[in-house]
Amino acid sequence: MKDRKQMLANAGTDTRLCHIGNDPENFYGFVNPPIVRGSTVLFPDAETMESGNQKYTYGTHATPTTDALCAALDELEGSAGTVLVPSGLAAITVPFLAFLSSGDHALIVDSVYFPCRRFCDTMLSRMGVTVEYYDPAVGAGIEALIRPNTKLVHTEAPGSNTFEMQDIDAIAEIAHRHGCVVTMDNTWATPLYYKPLDHGVDISIHAATKYPSGHSDILMGTVSANTETWERLKDANTQLGICGAPEDSYLILRGLRTMGMRLAHHGRSALAVAEWLEARGDVARVLHPALPSFPGHALWKRDFKGASGIFSFVLEAGSADRFKPKARAFLNALSLFGLGYSWGGYESLAVMVGLADRTICKAPPEGPVIRLQIGLENVEDILADLERGFAAAAAV
Ligand SMILES: *Cc1c(COP(=O)(O)O)cnc(C)c1O
C-alpha cells in the first residue's frame, strides 16, 4: 500500500488516472470499488454509536464508493477534501452558501456560467448578499473593487461561451490579502490542464457532468477545498443535506480512468477545427484560448497545460437583422452535430449562445456566437458537417 502510494505520487497523469481512488486490496482484489448503496450503517455496540467513532456512520456522509471518487479528486486537485453534489450548478451554490452571509459583498466574473448569475441575482440577493460583476481582464485591478464586507471572489477561466481568460494568481493574491475566499469554476480545463489550488484558489469547482462523465449520461458536481476552507465547506454541505449518489460516483470514477486520453483527443480535434474556422471569410472571429490570435492566449499559455474541446466562433452576419436567421440556418443544416446543452460527452454539439445577461463582456458586434463542443468523431466528418452549415448560412 505504502509503495503504491509512493509510486503514484511520482507517476505521470495517465498512470495516476488509472490507479487513484480506491485500493483493490480493500475489496478482495477487485480492481473497481463496489457500488455501496446505503442509508443505515450499523454500529457494533452502544458505545461506538454514541461516539460515532467508526469510518462510516450514515449514507449521507460517505460510502466506500463516494469515498473512492473523493480520494481520486483530492489526488488530482491537491485538495484537503472534496464534497460531491448532484449537479455542477450545485457545486457553485453550495460553496456560496457556505461562505456568504447576509450583509456580505461578493465579486463574480461577468463571463460566468449563466445559471450561477441567476442564483446570485435571485436567491443570494434575497438573502441579503450584494453581488457585483467584474471584468475578467481585471487582474490586479480587483483590489479597487474589494470592499470591507467583500467575502468571496468567484472566478471562471476560460469564461463560459466567450472563453475570456483571467489572471487567477494576481486575483487570488489580492483577494487573500483582504480576507476573501476565492472560488474557481474549473470545468473547462479539468484538474489535468489547470490546478486551481496551485494558483492560490481556495475552492475548485467542477461540473463532473462534463469531461469526468464523458458520456452525457450523468449529472454531478464536485467541490474540492484547501486546508483553510475544507471544514467550513464540509459543515455547510452536511447542514444542507446534499450528497452524491453511489452509482453516479462509480460512473464518474470510471470516466476518470480514460479522461486523459479523451481530453487529448477532444483538444487536438477542437484546435484543428478552430484553425480551419479561423481561415474562413464567413467567420468573423474564433474564441479559443489556444489560438495565438485570441486576446487571452498569453495567460492560457502561461498557466494551462492544455485545451479541452469546447470553444466558440462569431459568424460573420453583415447586419444585425441577419444575426439570428443566419445562425438558425447554420444550426439547422448540421446533421452530425446535435443541438443541445451541456458538453464533455463523446458526441459533437452546437448551440447559439445568448449573451443578453452580460453587463461587461457584451455580445460581439459582427454576428451571432456559435459554441461548438467537438466530440470524438473523425475530424473530416466534423468539417464536412460544418461546411453544410456555412453553405446554408450563406444562402440567408
Ligand atoms: C455545465 C456547467 C456547469 C453546471 O453543470 P450541470 O451539471 O449541468 O449543472 C457549471 N459550470 C460550467 C462552467 C459549466 O459548463
Side-chain angles (χ1 to χ4, degrees):
M1 178 66 191
K2 198 158 164 284
D3 291 349
R4 191 164 177 273
K5 266 215 146 90
Q6 192 63 44
M7 176 278 288
L8 285 178
N10 302 319
T13 308
D14 288 320
T15 306
R16 294 172 67 225
L17 284 173
C18 289
H19 295 283
I20 53 177
N22 60 299
D23 188 333
E25 279 179 28
N26 294 340
F27 308 113
Y28 307 100
F30 284 97
V31 287
N32 291 299
I35 299 174
V36 178
R37 304 171 56 96
S39 49
T40 302
V41 181
L42 299 180
F43 300 88
D45 49 50
E47 287 78 5
T48 315
M49 194 173 195
E50 275 178 64
S51 69
N53 190 16
Q54 67 179 26
K55 190 164 162 73
Y56 297 104
T57 53
Y58 193 59
T60 54
H61 302 317
T63 75
T65 323
T66 60
D67 261 1
L69 176 57
C70 289
L73 292 166
D74 287 335
E75 281 281 330
L76 294 176
E77 298 276 0
S79 44
T82 293
V83 296
L84 306 178
V85 295
S87 71
L89 178 55
I92 301 170
T93 60
V94 166
F96 282 18
L97 291 172
F99 291 99
L100 289 167
S101 311
S102 175
D104 288 349
H105 173 248
L107 286 166
I108 313 286
V109 67
D110 190 51
S111 47
V112 76
Y113 175 65
F114 169 72
C116 169
R117 182 188 297 260
R118 188 176 53 200
F119 173 74
C120 290
D121 292 348
T122 54
M123 200 170 281
L124 214 50
S125 299
R126 181 163 59 69
M127 290 169 55
V129 176
T130 309
V131 175
E132 182 178 342
Y133 297 94
Y134 67 88
D135 188 338
V138 72
I142 195 87
E143 186 139 34
L145 302 177
I146 294 178
R147 304 178 192 174
N149 62 336
T150 307
K151 291 287 160 59
L152 183 141
V153 177
H154 182 63
T155 63
E156 181 183 337
S160 273
N161 297 325
T162 40
F163 303 92
E164 291 86 351
M165 294 300 304
Q166 290 194 256
D167 190 340
I168 301 293
D169 299 76
I171 291 170
E173 205 262 310
I174 289 162
H176 283 154
R177 225 189 296 137
H178 293 271
C180 305
V181 167
V182 180
T183 52
M184 179 173 186
D185 187 330
N186 191 36
T187 301
W188 184 86
T190 84
L192 302 194
Y193 291 165
Y194 188 81
K195 286 178 70 175
L197 273 52
D198 288 354
H199 293 265
V201 169
D202 298 295
I203 296 199
S204 174
I205 290 165
H206 282 278
T209 305
K210 310 289 169 53
Y211 291 114
S213 158
H215 296 75
S216 309
D217 53 1
I218 310 166
L219 291 159
M220 187 176 271
T222 69
V223 196
S224 301
N226 61 9
T227 341
E228 291 77 12
T229 55
W230 167 238
E231 286 301 328
R232 184 154 169 180
L233 174 73
K234 188 174 65 155
D235 285 349
N237 204 50
T238 306
Q239 288 154 18
L240 286 162
I242 296 178
C243 46
E247 306 203 14
D248 291 348
S249 302
Y250 178 89
L251 287 170
I252 295 292
L253 187 62
R254 180 158 92 162
L256 286 183
R257 306 303 183 198
T258 57
M259 190 168 77
M261 294 167 65
R262 286 188 285 107
L263 263 183
H265 191 105
H266 283 294
R268 256 194 320 273
S269 298
L271 191 57
V273 174
E275 285 166 350
W276 179 84
L277 288 168
E278 194 163 45
R280 297 183 66 97
D282 41 10
V283 170
R285 272 191 279 157
V286 182
L287 312 177
H288 189 312
L291 290 177
S293 61
F294 189 69
H297 178 69
L299 275 177
W300 174 80
K301 214 170 158 173
R302 186 190 78 182
D303 293 341
F304 284 59
K305 285 209 186 87
S308 62
I310 182 160
F311 67 95
S312 293
F313 69 94
V314 184
L315 192 61
E316 185 70 62
S319 66
D321 59 313
R322 291 170 70 190
F323 271 38
K324 286 196 171 178
K326 252 193 195 295
R328 287 186 197 121
F330 178 91
L331 294 174
N332 287 337
L334 301 174
S335 53
L336 185 149
F337 279 82
L339 309 186
Y341 294 108
S342 206
W343 42 275
Y346 52 82
E347 83 291 17
S348 290
L349 296 170
V351 62
M352 177 168 27
V353 165
L355 298 168
D357 60 307
R358 301 284 180 85
T359 54
I360 299 163
C361 309
K362 299 251 173 81
E366 306 98 314
V369 177
I370 293 176
R371 190 185 76 187
L372 300 178
Q373 123 94 3
I374 303 302
L376 301 175
E377 302 96 338
N378 294 101
V379 172
E380 313 81 78
D381 298 325
I382 291 171
L383 297 182
D385 205 43
L386 293 173
E387 195 70 75
R388 282 189 282 274
F390 283 113
V396 172

